[in-house]
Amino acid sequence: MKNNVKKECIAMLLAGGQGTRLGVLTTDVAKPAVPFAAKYRIIDFPLSNCINSGIDTIGVLTQYRPFELHQYIGNGQPWDLDRLNGGIFVLPPFMRAKSGEWYKGTANAIYQNIEFIDDYNPDYVVLLSGDHIYKMDYAEMLAAHKKNKADCTIAVLDVPIEEASRFGILNLKKNNEIYEFEEKPKKPKSTKASMGIYIFTWTVLRRYLIADEEDKTSENDFGKNIIPKMLADGQRMFAYQFNGYWKDVGTISSLWEANMDILRGGQGAEDLDLDDDSWKIYARNIAEPPQYISPTGRVQNCLISEGTVVHGTVKDSIVSHSVTIGKNAYIEGSIIMPGAVIGEGADIRYSIVGWNAVIGKGCMVGETLSDCKPGEWKISVIAPNYNLPDNTVVGANEMIG
């Protein structure tokens, strides 16, 4: 049935990636469903950005291991997205009357959902990734898109020139109009890195999606196909400068760094203040009793969620809900995910312990690290639901499970 409610702007959130670089953390769940900062999931950040920006219709495109993510999103109530007109919609690949296939690429994923977008007849579509940590007002970006009469606007972030070859780089005119896009160039001409956040004028994007699908040589990817083709055709394409905190948490090191940035107030992380009532990050929360720090427990510079019991020492760490930390255990610079049990006398340093993992008595996991370059922290990882036997030693940068 046709929906008669028109939306000026809707969001499409790409959340179907496997996230292989996160190793054992994404063996059974999609990357956007991975826990973050003691009480959140990664996907909470783009969803909260949408509702805070006034975007109340969101399609979440899922594919790899979707059950946990579907269950977490539910009806969208935590983000005020349980609505009669609009709201949140989980959009996995589906069979049509004559055919059906998995999402072949980012552009193909949107192409397969043209009917969903058309149903709201939007003027504009915001395209987002489900694995970035940041706060951003998409309404301000949309205002810039309208002012420039743009066909496409791409959010950009300045990165150090020595890191620019890791990103898609946009080369700009003085008015921020894009004249060239280079995918991970060996010799970058600028430091304007694409954040993977786009606003398109829907009538224009719709036309390019159909043409891209008809091109059998295309990889059906926005960065490789859609954006270069629009540039070659002379479409009006502009960059939108973002100056706040942003991190792609697609690797173990970057996931650990983003958690620690929140804890330590790393560079730019003041923009990620979780206590900011003007831009809340919403999440689906489990009702648990308050955290308990026993007489033997010691806590220094930590985020500790509800339902956690601490009998040992925890320093400079992120501890999620429903965790138990035994007597004489020592935890430093680590992320302990929901439901984990840390045995008596265990020593955990600069590590990530997956949800519901059990660390046996006397285990030693990881080692104290310092002064590593971004992306090169040698973080040890224990897989979710893994039982590490008593007195096991796990070295720095090892992944167990």
Side-chain angles (χ1 to χ4, degrees), residues 30-155:
K31 184 164 48 173
V34 170
F36 182 81
K39 67 175 294 179
Y40 304 96
R41 306 287 185 107
I42 295 171
I43 198 172
D44 289 329
F45 287 80
L47 288 181
S48 297
N49 286 338
C50 282
I51 199 64
N52 289 334
S53 300
I55 299 173
D56 64 5
T57 303
I58 305 169
V60 180
L61 287 70
T62 63
Q63 181 159 280
Y64 172 79
R65 294 285 188 176
F67 177 73
E68 178 84 12
L69 190 59
H70 290 192
Q71 186 179 48
Y72 181 73
I73 292 171
N75 67 352
Q77 183 272 332
W79 307 273
D80 192 27
L81 290 168
D82 51 338
R83 300 177 176 229
L84 292 176
N85 297 318
I88 194 164
F89 300 87
V90 176
L91 303 172
F94 62 93
M95 292 294 295
R96 299 174 185 273
K98 296 183 179 180
S99 65
E101 59 186 351
W102 293 109
Y103 294 145
K104 296 182 294 183
T106 53
N108 174 260
I110 303 299
Y111 169 82
Q112 288 198 41
N113 289 283
I114 282 179
E115 292 177 3
F116 169 80
I117 300 173
D118 281 346
D119 204 31
Y120 289 95
N121 190 25
D123 299 316
Y124 310 102
V125 172
V126 181
L127 183 62
L128 305 168
S129 173
D131 56 2
H132 298 159
I133 301 297
Y134 64 108
K135 288 183 176 183
M136 183 176 181
D137 190 345
Y138 305 135
E140 293 181 359
M141 184 175 172
L142 180 58
H145 182 88
K146 294 177 184 177
K147 181 179 178 181
N148 291 325
K149 296 181 172 58
D151 298 308
C152 172
T153 299
I154 304 175

Side-chain angles (χ1 to χ4, degrees), residues 41-307:
R41 306 287 185 107
I42 295 171
I43 198 172
D44 289 329
F45 287 80
L47 288 181
S48 297
N49 286 338
C50 282
I51 199 64
N52 289 334
S53 300
I55 299 173
D56 64 5
T57 303
I58 305 169
V60 180
L61 287 70
T62 63
Q63 181 159 280
Y64 172 79
R65 294 285 188 176
F67 177 73
E68 178 84 12
L69 190 59
H70 290 192
Q71 186 179 48
Y72 181 73
I73 292 171
N75 67 352
Q77 183 272 332
W79 307 273
D80 192 27
L81 290 168
D82 51 338
R83 300 177 176 229
L84 292 176
N85 297 318
I88 194 164
F89 300 87
V90 176
L91 303 172
F94 62 93
M95 292 294 295
R96 299 174 185 273
K98 296 183 179 180
S99 65
E101 59 186 351
W102 293 109
Y103 294 145
K104 296 182 294 183
T106 53
N108 174 260
I110 303 299
Y111 169 82
Q112 288 198 41
N113 289 283
I114 282 179
E115 292 177 3
F116 169 80
I117 300 173
D118 281 346
D119 204 31
Y120 289 95
N121 190 25
D123 299 316
Y124 310 102
V125 172
V126 181
L127 183 62
L128 305 168
S129 173
D131 56 2
H132 298 159
I133 301 297
Y134 64 108
K135 288 183 176 183
M136 183 176 181
D137 190 345
Y138 305 135
E140 293 181 359
M141 184 175 172
L142 180 58
H145 182 88
K146 294 177 184 177
K147 181 179 178 181
N148 291 325
K149 296 181 172 58
D151 298 308
C152 172
T153 299
I154 304 175
V156 298
L157 187 75
D158 279 307
V159 297
I161 189 66
E162 60 270 17
E163 296 181 23
S165 59
R166 295 170 43 218
F167 297 89
I169 296 297
L170 303 178
N171 299 318
L172 313 177
K173 299 178 182 178
K174 289 184 178 181
N175 65 348
N176 282 335
E177 187 172 3
I178 303 166
Y179 70 85
E180 186 179 25
F181 174 77
E182 297 180 289
E183 181 67 27
K184 298 181 180 180
K186 292 182 178 179
K187 295 182 178 180
K189 300 173 186 176
S190 83
T191 60
K192 304 294 184 182
S194 169
M195 297 168 61
I197 300 169
Y198 309 90
I199 294 181
F200 291 95
T201 298
W202 174 235
T203 53
V204 177
L205 176 60
R206 190 182 193 281
R207 187 169 70 247
Y208 275 88
L209 289 173
I210 293 171
D212 182 72
E213 189 65 22
E214 293 173 349
D215 180 1
K216 300 308 178 184
T217 66
S218 175
E219 295 182 52
N220 306 123
D221 184 83
F222 275 92
K224 296 177 181 178
N225 305 109
I226 300 292
I227 300 302
K229 185 67 169 74
M230 291 181 70
L231 271 173
D233 290 349
Q235 300 293 341
R236 291 182 61 79
M237 306 184 70
F238 288 81
Y240 175 78
Q241 181 69 46
F242 179 72
N243 296 313
Y245 180 92
W246 176 88
K247 188 176 282 289
D248 180 339
V249 289
T251 66
I252 291 295
S253 183
S254 62
L255 177 65
W256 179 88
E257 289 168 31
N259 275 274
M260 294 301 131
D261 283 343
I262 287 181
L263 189 61
R264 299 169 179 168
Q267 184 178 6
E270 58 273 6
D271 299 320
L272 208 57
D273 181 8
L274 299 179
D275 294 321
D276 181 7
D277 286 338
S278 68
W279 202 270
K280 288 186 176 182
I281 301 300
Y282 301 96
R284 185 177 296 281
N285 294 314
I286 297 174
E288 292 281 355
Q291 60 181 249
Y292 172 68
I293 314 299
S294 80
T296 61
R298 299 290 183 271
V299 174
Q300 179 182 335
N301 189 38
C302 296
L303 289 179
I304 299 184
S305 195
E306 62 267 36

